[in-house]
């Protein structure tokens, strides 16, 4: 995925509900500091000034833009104010100014950070006024020029810890509206912090999902996080209740569920991984790609390389209602059914070709593919995969021995009830297919994933 592939809604913003902040806490508490560059670089190096707190995006400037910032320091051109927020342990988190501070620190330290996680030598490039410095590293500059950079002063506004946390993030969002524009998911990452946001970051590292996207690391503009959010939002809402404006649906999903319980977050994680696993099993690296059938002039069909967001919504959403035991034995037939759908249902093809998220298109795509899935697999299973607490108590009373490691389970809270025959292989959630295990042993044992 490239930056051009970042899914961003073109639906106009709609009013969001007001922030629930007590009236006496609505003003930002700040202090002002004028600090030399060398002091800022020192703080960054020892970790007392954090360039990438959890709400920040990745470094996205290129060497030319970063070099021209260095040129501005040498020309004594005023640099925009840097905003930081007080954090625990006396540290400061950069709210606005990350790109500037990263560029300055990287030049002085000699290495430019790449999106791949690697670094390269930072040599000035693209300077228009001080062109004689192009190609030089900081260490190659004269002592006088080095001092001009190190002793340049930046104004830092510190948002005090006593400021309401929601006010701090409101400041961040507004400041960045006038800077290098954040995409929708980067803004959500700023505003809707919490367990849900952390889950999206964690899932973006899931290897089958990276393989499907053709990535070795999570997308540096959070496109993968937005894809995961699209899926979870549509799954919770269902296509039958979707009324359009996917951007607003995703905003509401994160706003309403930002502080879910650990159990709820774990269920969501399992749902995403299970659904992605099924897509990978059926389609491999062709998952969520459009297939264009051959023509009379060229009978060979063609798979598009770019991931199709409409197919992502449609296929993953439908897979989420099935179990692996439904999909694995029928993978080849599902694959062929998809090819037939992309060849013969011209309305479906039209609705996955356009990028619009209109309600009628989302509903048609979901219904059309679900009918195909039902014809191959049958209706999705509705039986529970979770054993009752009562059964766990009964098994623990009868014999508190772990069926995996053979050791005694000390307390019932350390125990889980496990399927003898895996649920995803068709095992039923009945006492005859149940055994007691350590919670750890059950989670650690292999064979669960495809």
């Amino acid at each position: 995925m490239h930056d051009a592939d970042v899914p961003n809604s073109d639906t106009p913003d709609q009013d969001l509900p007001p922030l629930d902040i007590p009236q006496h806490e609505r003003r930002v508490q700040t202090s002002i500091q004028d600090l030399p560059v060398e002091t800022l670089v020192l703080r960054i190096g020892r970790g007392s000034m954090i360039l990438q707190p959890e709400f920040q995006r990745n470094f996205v400037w290129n060497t030319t833009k970063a070099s021209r910032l260095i040129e501005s320091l040498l020309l004594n051109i005023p640099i925009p104010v840097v905003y930081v927020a007080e954090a625990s342990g006396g540290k400061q988190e950069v709210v606005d100014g990350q790109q500037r501070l990263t560029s300055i620190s990287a030049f002085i330290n000699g290495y430019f950070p790449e999106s791949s996680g690697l670094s390269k030598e930072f040599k000035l490039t693209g300077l228009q006024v001080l062109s004689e410095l192009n190609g030089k590293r900081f260490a190659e500059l004269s002592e006088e020029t080095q001092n001009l950079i190190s002793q340049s002063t930046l104004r830092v506004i510190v948002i005090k810890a006593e400021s309401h946390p929601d006010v701090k993030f409101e400041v961040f969002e507004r400041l960045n509206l006038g800077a290098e524009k954040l995409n929708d998911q980067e803004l959500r990452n700023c505003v809707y912090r919490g367990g849900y946001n952390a889950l999206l970051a964690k899932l973006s590292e899931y290897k089958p999902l990276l393989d499907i996207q053709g990535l070795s690391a999570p997308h540096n503009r959070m496109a993968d996080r937005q894809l995961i959010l699209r899926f979870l939002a549509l799954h919770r809402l269902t296509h039958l209740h979707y009324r359009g404006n996917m951007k607003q649906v995703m905003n509401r999903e994160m706003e309403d569920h930002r502080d879910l319980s650990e159990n709820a977050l774990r269920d969501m994680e399992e749902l995403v991984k299970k659904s992605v696993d099924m897509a990978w099993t059926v389609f491999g690296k062709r998952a969520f790609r459009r297939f264009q059938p051959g023509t009379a002039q060229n009978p060979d069909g063609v798979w598009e390389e770019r991931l199709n967001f409409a197919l992502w919504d449609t296929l993953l959403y439908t897979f989420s209602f099935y179990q692996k035991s439904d999909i694995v034995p029928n993978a080849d037939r599902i694959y062929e059914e998809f090819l037939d759908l992309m060849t013969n249902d011209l309305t479906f093809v039209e609705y996955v070709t356009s990028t619009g998220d209109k309600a009628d298109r989302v509903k048609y795509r979901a219904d059309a593919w679900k009918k195909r899935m039902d014809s191959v697999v049958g209706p999705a299973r509705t039986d529970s995969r979770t054993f009752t607490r009562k059964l766990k108590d009964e098994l623990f009373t009868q014999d508190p021995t772990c069926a995996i490691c053979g050791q005694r389970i000390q307390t019932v809270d350390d125990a889980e009830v496990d399927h003898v025959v895996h649920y995803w292989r068709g095992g039923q959630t009945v006492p005859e297919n149940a055994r007691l295990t350590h919670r750890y042993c059950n989670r650690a044992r292999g064979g669960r994933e495809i």
Side-chain angles (χ1 to χ4, degrees):
M1 232 184 245
H2 306 288
D3 285 355
D5 300 322
V6 178
N8 227 353
S9 173
D10 56 1
T11 305
D13 290 341
Q14 298 190 13
D15 291 338
L16 295 175
L19 294 172
D20 184 14
I21 302 173
Q23 187 169 0
H24 67 281
E25 297 183 37
R26 292 177 185 175
R27 290 182 62 84
V28 182
Q29 306 298 319
T30 64
S31 64
I32 299 175
Q33 300 175 358
D34 291 320
L35 300 174
V37 161
E38 59 185 0
T39 299
L40 292 168
V41 172
L42 180 63
R43 290 185 181 181
I44 293 167
R46 71 185 184 203
S48 60
M49 180 172 285
I50 303 171
L51 288 177
Q52 285 192 311
E54 65 171 278
F55 54 82
Q56 269 284 16
R57 59 176 172 175
N58 296 318
F59 182 62
V60 297
W61 277 16
N62 57 33
T63 52
T64 298
K65 191 163 188 176
S67 295
R68 289 177 179 171
L69 176 67
I70 303 301
E71 184 180 44
S72 295
L73 292 176
L74 292 170
L75 295 174
N76 201 30
I77 296 174
I79 305 299
V81 172
V82 171
Y83 287 79
V84 300
E86 289 183 338
S88 60
K91 296 183 178 182
Q92 295 176 336
E93 296 178 337
V94 176
V95 174
D96 185 62
Q98 178 213 15
Q99 308 295 314
R100 281 164 271 152
L101 292 178
T102 301
S103 298
I104 294 169
S105 177
F107 182 61
I108 291 176
N109 290 320
Y111 292 94
F112 189 83
E114 297 280 83
S115 58
S116 63
L118 303 176
S119 297
K120 65 179 182 181
E121 280 194 327
F122 190 167
K123 298 180 180 181
L124 295 173
T125 182
L127 302 189
Q128 297 172 315
V129 179
L130 304 176
S131 57
E132 67 276 9
L133 299 182
N134 282 325
K136 291 186 179 295
R137 296 181 293 113
F138 180 78
E140 296 171 334
L141 299 177
S142 67
E143 183 177 353
E144 179 183 4
T145 304
Q146 290 181 359
N147 289 335
L148 281 174
I149 295 172
S150 298
Q151 295 170 14
S152 296
T153 300
L154 273 64
R155 171 152 291 192
V156 178
I157 295 182
V158 182
I159 301 174
K160 306 295 286 184
E162 52 266 31
S163 297
H164 192 283
D166 282 327
V167 172
K168 179 176 70 175
F169 286 86
E170 184 72 11
V171 170
F172 175 83
E173 180 181 12
R174 296 187 185 193
L175 288 170
N176 277 275
L177 289 177
E180 182 158 334
K181 184 171 175 59
L182 301 175
N183 64 47
D184 288 345
Q185 192 58 34
E186 287 170 327
L187 278 173
R188 293 187 192 99
N189 185 60
C190 308
V191 179
Y192 304 120
R193 67 212 179 280
Y196 200 138
N197 202 32
L199 175 64
L200 295 179
K202 179 181 179 182
L203 286 169
S204 70
E205 299 177 348
Y206 186 51
K207 189 175 186 308
L209 180 58
L210 290 172
D211 291 340
I212 284 173
Q213 297 173 92
L215 298 175
S216 59
H219 194 278
N220 69 338
R221 297 297 305 275
M222 303 185 187
D224 38 19
R225 298 191 198 185
Q226 178 153 310
L227 286 172
I228 299 165
L229 177 61
R230 284 176 70 100
F231 161 66
L232 289 170
L234 188 59
H235 178 84
R236 194 187 306 275
L237 184 64
T238 79
H239 70 289
L240 297 175
H241 295 95
Y242 177 74
R243 298 291 181 264
N245 194 340
M246 186 66 77
K247 176 180 177 179
Q248 186 180 41
V249 169
M250 290 189 287
N251 287 346
R252 290 287 186 268
E253 170 72 8
M254 290 199 73
E255 182 180 23
D256 293 344
H257 306 288
R258 68 168 80 181
D259 294 316
L260 291 172
S261 68
E262 289 298 320
N263 287 337
L265 291 171
R266 185 164 51 248
D267 289 344
M268 292 164 63
E269 180 179 357
E270 291 179 357
L271 175 68
V272 172
K273 290 182 175 180
K274 177 198 77 169
S275 304
V276 169
D277 285 348
M278 288 189 282
W280 178 258
T281 296
V282 175
F283 296 103
K285 292 185 177 180
R286 289 174 172 169
F288 316 118
R289 268 72 177 182
R290 182 185 167 205
F291 175 75
Q292 298 186 50
T295 64
Q297 292 76 23
N298 184 5
D300 295 328
V302 177
W303 287 89
E304 291 186 352
E305 293 186 7
R306 177 173 294 190
L307 188 146
N308 182 289
F309 305 135
L311 287 176
W312 167 271
D313 292 339
T314 304
L315 301 186
L316 199 65
Y317 170 75
T318 306
F319 278 140
S320 68
F321 295 102
Y322 289 89
Q323 303 302 326
K324 293 178 181 178
S325 57
D326 301 316
I327 302 303
V328 174
N330 296 293
D332 290 344
R333 294 175 61 202
I334 296 170
Y335 185 94
E336 292 298 325
E337 198 68 33
F338 175 75
L339 295 179
D340 186 76
L341 179 65
M342 292 298 298
T343 302
N344 296 309
D345 190 329
L346 299 183
T347 301
F348 185 88
V349 172
E350 178 188 350
Y351 287 178
V352 300
T353 302
S354 64
T355 58
D357 292 322
K358 294 181 179 179
D360 59 332
R361 298 189 173 213
V362 171
K363 186 176 186 303
Y364 182 91
R365 295 194 302 252
D367 287 340
W369 178 238
K370 185 178 183 303
K371 288 178 182 177
R372 296 291 186 126
M373 288 287 290
D374 286 348
S375 69
V376 173
V377 181
R381 287 176 63 175
T382 57
D383 58 313
S384 172
R385 66 173 297 163
T386 306
F387 291 101
T388 65
R389 171 75 187 203
K390 179 181 178 183
L391 177 62
K392 182 167 79 165
D393 290 339
E394 291 174 353
L395 292 175
F396 184 82
T397 301
Q398 293 170 10
D399 182 8
T401 302
C402 175
I404 295 176
C405 73
Q407 302 298 309
R408 178 182 177 83
I409 303 172
Q410 296 302 318
T411 69
V412 70
D413 287 338
D414 290 329
E416 280 189 346
V417 183
D418 178 42
H419 291 80
V420 177
V421 177
H422 288 306
Y423 183 82
W424 66 269
R425 285 178 173 163
Q428 294 182 313
T429 308
V430 294
E432 294 77 15
N433 192 41
R435 64 177 184 173
L436 198 69
T437 70
H438 278 113
R439 187 178 299 274
Y440 170 80
C441 293
N442 187 32
R443 301 285 168 157
R445 78 183 180 116
R448 288 185 166 272
E449 302 300 331
I450 297 177

